[in-house]
Amino acid sequence: MPDRKFLVTFSPHDRHPETTNKVMMTVVIAMLPIIANSIWYYGYYAVKGYVLTTLFCIGFEYLFDKISGRPVAIKDNSALVTGLLLAMNMPAAAPWWTMLVGSFIAIVVSKQVYGGLGQNPFNPALVARVFLLIAWPVEMTSWVKPSPIIHGFLFDTVSSATPLGTLKSDIIAHGHVVTANLATYTDQIIGNVSGCMGGDGAVFVLIGGLFMMNRKVISWHIPISFLGTLFAFTGIIWLINPQRTIDPFLHIVSGGAMLAAFFMATDYVTSPVIKRAQIVFGIGCGLIAGIIRIYGSYPEGTGFAVLIMNAFVPLLDKYMRPLSFGEVKK
C-alpha cells in the first residue's frame, strides 16, 4: 500500500470565512449613515474630528507595535473603528489635542498595554471618552448648535446645551421637567440637537445596527435587552412622577443610548460570548444608564454603564456557561 500522510494541526479545524478585517469593515460600513449625518450637521468640524481621531488611533497602534516588537496590526482595522467611535463620542468643536490624548488613552492605555486586540477588558473608545470627560469637563461639554451644511460647510460655533443637559439643569433649577425646553421627537430622531457627533440621530444609528444584525456581525440580545431595560426603568419612573424625567421613548432616542446599545456594548472583546449572559449584560447596562440619568449628577450615563458592565463579563461568561454534554451540575 502506498504511504499515507496525515496532516496534524491545532484547532480550530473548521474555519469561518469571516476575518477580523472583514468584520471591522462591516462595522465601518454600518457607521457611514452616522458619519454622513454628523457631516451634514457639523460640516468641517465633523470631518476634522473623524480624520484626526482615526489618524491618531492608527498612528499610535502602528508606533506601539513597532516599539514593542509586535507584528503591526493596523490592517485588522480595529484602530480605525476605535478612532471613528471616539470621534462619535466627542463634541464637534473639541480641541485637536483632546482628540490626540483620547486616541492615546484608547489605543495604548486601554488596549495595547493589555496585549492588543482581544485582550482589553474595557471598551477603548469609552475609556477615552470617560477619561477626557473627567480630566477636561469644560472642553468635553462645550456643545455647539448643529447647522446643516446647506448653510455653509464652515460655520461659527454657537454654544448650545444638549437635551439631556437641559433636562438635568431644569430639574436642578426648578425641581421638575420644563416641557417647553424639551427637544422635539423629530429633532432627536434625525440628530438636529446639540451633543456628541454620533450620539444623536437615532434613525441613522438604527440603520447601522440593523445592517450589522443582517450581516450577523451582532445579535439582538444586547441591543434589545439594553434599550428595553432603559425604556422600562425610565418608563416606570415617568409613570410614577412625570415631573422627574422625560418619557421613556425620548430616553431611547436621546444622547448616546442607541449608539451605546448597537456599537459600544456589542464589542466582541468586552461583551459576553454566551447569549443569556449577553441579555443580563444588556439589562445591567440599561438599568445603570437609567439610574445615572435620573438620579446621578451627569445627564448621560450610557458610557459609564457599559464600562461598569464590561468588568462583569468574565463572571457572566463563567457562571452562565451552559453545561457540556455529559457534564453534571455541581
Side-chain angles (χ1 to χ4, degrees):
M1 295 180 64
D3 294 337
R4 296 183 181 273
K5 295 183 178 180
F6 294 93
L7 179 62
V8 179
T9 62
F10 293 103
S11 62
H13 304 294
D14 185 11
R15 300 181 183 273
H16 197 277
E18 290 288 354
T19 61
T20 301
N21 174 39
K22 291 181 180 179
V23 170
M24 293 297 173
M25 283 309 300
T26 301
V27 176
V28 171
I29 293 171
M31 291 177 179
L32 292 180
I34 307 171
I35 295 171
N37 191 56
S38 303
I39 296 174
W40 171 258
Y41 282 114
Y42 296 111
Y44 159 78
Y45 298 99
V47 173
K48 181 193 73 172
Y50 286 118
V51 170
L52 287 182
T53 53
T54 52
L55 288 179
F56 288 150
C57 284
I58 292 173
F60 281 125
E61 180 108 327
Y62 177 85
L63 288 175
F64 194 92
D65 284 339
K66 279 292 187 182
I67 293 172
S68 61
R70 298 176 185 170
V72 176
I74 59 174
K75 290 184 179 180
D76 63 16
N77 291 318
S78 63
L80 171 61
V81 170
T82 299
L84 293 174
L85 285 175
L86 177 58
M88 291 179 183
N89 280 275
M90 299 189 72
W96 69 269
W97 54 267
T98 59
M99 300 176 187
L100 177 66
V101 175
S103 299
F104 176 82
I105 297 295
I107 296 299
V108 178
V109 177
S110 308
K111 176 183 172 183
Q112 292 289 4
V113 296
Y114 289 100
L117 181 65
Q119 307 298 320
N120 51 289
F122 301 99
N123 185 285
L126 282 180
V127 172
R129 152 80 177 163
V130 170
F131 173 85
L132 292 174
L133 182 62
I134 295 173
W136 292 285
V138 174
E139 287 79 4
M140 289 298 292
T141 55
S142 297
W143 314 108
V144 298
K145 187 176 181 180
S147 177
I149 56 174
I150 56 175
H151 300 151
F153 190 67
L154 178 62
F155 58 91
D156 294 331
T157 58
V158 179
S159 297
S160 177
T162 65
L164 291 177
T166 300
L167 170 67
K168 184 68 68 175
S169 299
D170 286 344
I171 292 176
I172 293 174
H174 307 287
H176 60 83
V177 177
V178 180
T179 307
N181 292 337
L182 297 179
T184 66
Y185 288 99
T186 301
D187 284 340
Q188 291 278 20
I189 291 172
I190 66 175
N192 188 24
V193 292
S194 299
C196 295
M197 286 190 286
D200 297 294
V203 64
F204 301 101
V205 180
L206 181 60
I207 291 171
L210 293 177
F211 173 77
M212 290 191 294
M213 283 187 183
N214 182 62
R215 295 298 301 271
K216 309 235 185 292
V217 170
I218 64 173
S219 66
W220 61 267
H221 301 78
I222 291 177
I224 297 302
S225 59
F226 188 149
L227 297 176
T229 302
L230 179 62
F231 185 92
F233 176 78
T234 56
I236 292 171
I237 303 300
W238 180 68
L239 289 173
I240 294 173
N241 183 7
Q243 295 299 310
R244 187 69 181 82
T245 187
I246 54 178
D247 70 79
F249 181 76
L250 270 178
H251 268 290
I252 295 299
V253 299
S254 297
M258 295 282 283
L259 184 68
F262 284 102
F263 286 90
M264 315 291 268
T266 56
D267 174 42
Y268 283 175
V269 180
T270 59
S271 64
V273 175
I274 300 166
K275 298 303 181 185
R276 56 184 177 182
Q278 290 179 359
I279 294 176
V280 174
F281 177 84
I283 291 173
C285 288
L287 183 61
I288 295 171
I291 291 172
I292 294 175
R293 281 187 174 189
I294 297 176
Y295 300 107
S297 58
Y298 282 101
E300 177 60 282
T302 53
F304 293 99
V306 173
L307 289 177
I308 290 171
M309 289 307 298
N310 284 162
F312 289 93
V313 168
L315 290 176
L316 291 174
D317 273 337
K318 178 179 180 180
Y319 291 106
M320 303 195 75
R321 176 181 65 84
L323 295 177
S324 303
F325 181 74
E327 184 179 359
V328 178
K329 186 175 181 180
K330 296 179 180 180

